[in-house]
Amino acid sequence: MLVRTINTLVHPVRTFSEYLENRNKPKTFSRQHQRYSCCIVGRLEFPERGFSVDGSVMEISLGGALFRTSSTYMMDRRLEQVRVHFDKHCMRGQIMNIRPEGYGIRFFEPLAEEDLEPLAHAFGLQENNSFH
């Protein structure tokens, strides 16, 4: 940030021309890990609150998952630490966002790549390239 500010002061014309060039370019977003659509029955545990909810993992990646509860009511539990239980896995993570499809959870430790192959074979994972 400081370097950008100094650069703006030293080269204002170049900075302004770069701004004009880049202002109409579409913003690109890339995910760190490929997401896969799935439907794996699981449980979302809130260890600090002492309860859990049943549901399913609707999307999974090495870095996180989208968990949909079986109830229609979704509590606002953003930034709360959770454990996601699915198949033979128990992943610790944090709820990063809440949307109608479910809770977006970021795993504290990424899922190992070799764990995706058995999941793909058992549950038929399909690449999901949509952005929410």
Side-chain angles (χ1 to χ4, degrees), residues 40-130:
I40 306 171
V41 174
R43 181 170 46 96
L44 186 62
E45 181 183 353
F46 297 86
E48 293 178 1
R49 304 238 181 228
F51 74 95
S52 62
V53 292
D54 294 329
S56 59
V57 175
M58 303 304 292
E59 288 181 357
I60 193 160
S61 73
L62 297 177
L66 176 67
F67 188 89
R68 176 68 184 154
T69 62
S70 57
S71 82
T72 56
Y73 178 73
M74 298 206 28
M75 301 172 283
D76 189 354
R77 299 287 187 191
R78 199 175 331 252
L79 301 180
E80 194 157 335
Q81 293 186 11
V82 295
R83 286 189 202 123
V84 183
H85 300 268
F86 61 96
D87 195 35
K88 298 172 184 143
H89 300 281
C90 176
M91 300 296 295
R92 293 179 55 245
Q94 185 174 26
I95 296 176
M96 300 308 290
N97 62 55
I98 301 165
R99 53 184 200 260
E101 295 86 17
Y103 294 109
I105 299 165
R106 178 181 49 92
F107 298 146
F108 290 141
E109 296 291 325
L111 188 65
E113 285 190 40
E114 56 269 8
D115 290 337
L116 273 183
E117 188 175 322
L119 289 173
H121 181 70
F123 300 101
L125 302 183
Q126 296 179 351
E127 286 188 10
N128 185 350
N129 295 319
S130 64

